[in-house]
Amino acid sequence: MDSMTALTLTKKSHACVRLEKDGRTLVLDPGMFSEADAALGADAILVTHEHPDHFGENRLRAALEAAPGTEIWTLRSVAEKLSAAFPGRVHTVGHGDAFTAAGFDVQVHGELHAVIHPDLPRVTNVGFLVDGGRVFHPGDALTVPGRPVETLLAPVQAPWNKIAEVIDYVREVRPQRVYDIHDALLTDLARPIYDTHLGNLGGAEHGRLAPGASATL
């Protein structure tokens, strides 16, 4: 893993994070629950799937229009909504692909969104492993990348999961540390309960960042 260069992770609301290294910024999953400016100033943007809490189309269009050098890497269902308006700047990727975005090395893992209910069709979902495993963002799935992970961004609360599954997921990935994402629907009363279970049972250092707070990895 590339551990020589300092990497700053800034939590934005819900499933969005900003990664900064060498003066360049990579943003993942700026959706409708994230701040309106969550994607602005990004050199590159990654989107895991089409659901609006991860794919805020207006936010992405604003970021692309504000900075002609900004590019997006995402799956086909998202790319086809943006590629015509921004030719050459929206890249379609899928499981097994690898690319470099804004100086970050990225590998794509996973194919399907977690099951919400058997009656609902599963959309495509990909996870992004950044810089050889320094950070893994799984989107809306409990994808195990099969590679060492330093920092796992764990979706702690969603209509498709429960805390026991998240704990087992952390145990299977075996990261050095875990930070919560996908947490916008948690009340302040619930957060300490999730913190206790993940911290005591996950087997990894567990942390939670308030929106706007940062950690150096």
Side-chain angles (χ1 to χ4, degrees):
M1 297 182 189
D2 176 14
S3 57
M4 300 300 292
T5 303
L7 178 64
T8 300
L9 181 151
T10 300
K11 174 76 164 64
K12 308 301 284 185
S13 294
H14 198 50
C16 180
V17 299
R18 292 175 70 100
L19 302 178
E20 296 176 72
K21 181 184 71 172
D22 293 333
R24 306 188 76 188
T25 301
L26 178 69
V27 174
L28 295 93
D29 278 8
M32 68 178 183
F33 296 153
S34 304
E35 295 79 2
D37 63 351
L40 292 179
D43 297 289
I45 301 169
L46 311 181
V47 179
T48 62
H49 67 289
E50 66 196 70
H51 287 162
D53 56 327
H54 297 255
F55 167 46
E57 184 170 353
N58 291 338
R59 286 161 169 70
L60 294 187
R61 287 181 178 274
L64 289 166
E65 290 167 357
T70 301
E71 298 182 58
I72 293 178
W73 282 260
T74 186
L75 37 67
R76 184 173 304 280
S77 58
V78 171
E80 65 188 8
K81 294 180 172 66
L82 298 168
S83 56
F86 304 98
R89 299 170 62 191
V90 181
H91 311 279
T92 301
V93 296
H95 176 68
D97 287 340
F99 57 92
T100 300
F104 294 84
D105 294 325
V106 183
Q107 295 178 353
V108 184
H109 294 267
E111 299 182 76
L112 289 173
H113 192 288
V115 175
I116 300 173
H117 187 276
D119 289 355
L120 297 174
R122 296 172 71 182
V123 301
T124 308
N125 177 95
V126 295
F128 294 109
L129 187 74
V130 179
D131 277 356
R134 293 183 73 181
V135 177
F136 182 58
H137 190 310
D140 274 7
L142 301 181
T143 300
V144 178
R147 298 284 302 275
V149 173
E150 288 185 6
T151 300
L152 175 66
L153 304 176
V156 295
Q157 194 279 334
W160 49 267
N161 74 13
K162 60 183 180 181
I163 193 61
E165 296 170 339
V166 179
I167 291 166
D168 288 345
Y169 176 54
V170 173
R171 290 178 173 182
E172 189 172 2
V173 176
R174 300 178 63 186
Q176 294 180 21
R177 70 188 67 84
V178 179
Y179 284 110
D180 295 354
I181 58 168
H182 215 283
D183 56 356
L185 301 184
L186 278 181
T187 70
D188 289 339
L189 289 174
R191 291 181 187 277
I193 299 171
Y194 279 69
D195 290 346
T196 297
H197 289 319
L198 282 167
N200 290 344
L201 300 174
E205 175 189 336
H206 173 256
R208 175 162 51 85
L209 296 171
S214 300
T216 300
L217 309 180

